[in-house]
Amino acid sequence: MRVLWFLSLVIALVSSPLAADRAAYVDLARRGWSYELRTTMVGRDLSIPVHIHGKDLAGASLCLVGERPHEASITIINAFRSLALHAFGKRMPMRYAGRSAANCGSGRTVVLRLYSGHPPNRDLSADLRWMNKVYQLGLPARGDFAASSPAMAQTFFGRRGQGTHIMVKQPALNELGSLETAFYKSILIEELFQSFTFGMDILLFDRTAAFQSKLQETPLNLHRLPWSSRAFMRALVSSNPTGLCTFDVFMLHAVAEAPVDQTTEPGFIDYVDQNYDQLFARALATMADPQLAALFDPTCRL
């Protein structure tokens, strides 16, 4: 009975006026994945080759450093690991390695540093210097690094492979209100999704339009607001979806399945266009898993 109910739901969604529009999805895919990597970092060794495929991190381990994860953080992280297993068919091993990224070891590892107070810029700098040494990233030998937002993710390409570093602010208190819950959920999901798919931000200037993707965001000027202030949280939460949309899960499957060399090439967008129906059906099937519910924003437009 449950299977029949789910099949009926899928058929109703696909055939209804609310079903996703193919042209809109292809356009979003083009804006989020058809880009050139920024190579303007001062001092970076530009002779290091860059290869971008969202599937490159499939099966990579997740190494948590800094603070131990808050219960709200671990809920999102574990749900995302389950989502990655759905899409890529590979498990994402995870462990806590203490205060230093150097404890994570080399190999296919994504470093996720969690903090709740002021940005740990000294630790961030130490993490990136260690990654620079291990992967030979060609980053400047001198200088410190600083957080530019409460959540940030960076992938670097080196002569010994690529390294991904994520740093996200998490709750300090055990009891969270609805605003705090939405804020911390939103920023963690966004950095994980973009790191594991290489999707880029998509500006949405029409503030009355409904969001179709976590990648979309309305431009804001929040430079004068403290990151822990309710005004900052409220503005950021309203600037894009608090969770993933159907389009995002659709693209996760596209990244996992597209037979292309890089997911930034035109052939990837062609694959999305040609396999729209199958990818959309897979997205709906994946989102029906109750273990993943914490990741999604039900207010997104299909």
Side-chain angles (χ1 to χ4, degrees):
M1 181 65 70
R2 185 175 180 179
V3 173
L4 291 175
W5 173 84
F6 172 66
L7 289 175
S8 298
L9 174 62
V10 171
I11 293 171
L13 283 170
V14 173
S15 61
S16 73
L18 295 177
D21 176 75
R22 182 193 204 107
Y25 267 40
V26 173
D27 179 60
L28 280 175
R30 183 175 292 108
R31 287 192 282 161
W33 275 266
S34 184
Y35 59 85
E36 293 183 5
L37 187 71
R38 289 172 294 187
T39 55
T40 56
M41 177 178 286
V42 176
R44 182 184 182 274
D45 184 350
L46 300 183
S47 69
I48 297 175
V50 172
H51 183 274
I52 300 176
H53 197 302
K55 194 165 55 177
D56 287 346
L57 290 179
S61 62
L62 189 63
C63 184
L64 308 185
V65 296
E67 295 179 354
R68 286 193 173 273
H70 187 280
E71 182 180 351
S73 301
I74 204 66
T75 296
I76 295 302
I77 293 169
N78 282 335
F80 188 83
R81 292 170 65 211
S82 296
L83 176 61
L85 177 60
H86 264 267
F88 298 112
K90 295 181 179 180
R91 298 189 180 278
M92 185 189 298
M94 180 181 71
R95 70 186 181 96
Y96 175 70
R99 308 297 299 186
S100 173
N103 297 327
C104 292
S106 57
R108 298 179 65 246
T109 300
V110 174
V111 176
L112 172 56
R113 176 170 290 281
L114 297 169
Y115 71 99
S116 60
H118 294 293
N121 292 326
R122 181 177 299 176
D123 292 329
L124 170 64
S125 296
D127 290 349
L128 296 186
R129 289 195 189 99
W130 169 77
M131 290 175 63
N132 192 30
K133 180 179 179 180
V134 169
Y135 298 105
Q136 292 189 2
L137 303 178
L139 300 180
R142 296 182 179 181
D144 293 324
F145 300 89
S148 57
S149 68
M152 52 187 286
Q154 304 172 84
T155 293
F156 303 96
F157 298 87
R159 300 196 182 280
R160 292 181 178 172
Q162 68 185 54
T164 296
H165 186 281
I166 307 172
M167 191 167 81
V168 181
K169 188 175 178 66
Q170 67 171 356
L173 304 175
N174 290 328
E175 299 296 326
L176 301 177
S178 57
L179 175 60
E180 291 79 9
T181 298
F183 172 76
Y184 290 113
K185 165 186 171 178
S186 179
I187 60 176
L188 180 55
I189 289 175
E190 183 166 348
E191 300 310 322
L192 288 171
F193 177 72
Q194 291 194 277
S195 294
F196 281 85
T197 63
F198 282 97
M200 297 290 284
D201 293 338
I202 302 171
L203 289 179
L204 181 66
F205 294 99
D206 183 0
R207 296 181 182 274
T208 64
F211 292 110
Q212 277 189 287
S213 172
K214 181 63 175 164
L215 297 181
Q216 292 178 304
E217 58 181 39
T218 55
L220 296 172
N221 185 357
L222 303 177
H223 295 302
R224 297 185 178 181
L225 294 176
W227 294 348
S228 295
S229 68
R230 292 183 64 82
F232 181 91
M233 292 185 184
R234 191 176 297 109
L236 201 67
V237 165
S238 66
S239 69
N240 76 347
T242 58
L244 301 179
C245 302
T246 304
F247 169 79
D248 303 317
V249 183
F250 171 101
M251 289 304 299
L252 191 61
H253 281 286
V255 164
E257 299 169 23
V260 295
D261 181 54
Q262 297 192 78
T263 46
T264 54
E265 64 185 45
F268 177 59
I269 308 304
D270 293 339
Y271 178 84
V272 169
D273 188 11
Q274 295 163 8
N275 294 272
Y276 169 84
D277 293 334
Q278 300 94 308
L279 292 171
F280 188 63
R282 284 190 181 86
L284 292 179
T286 296
M287 295 177 73
D289 186 339
Q291 296 184 71
L292 309 179
L295 296 174
F296 307 134
D297 186 336
T299 67
C300 291
R301 181 168 67 91
L302 279 178

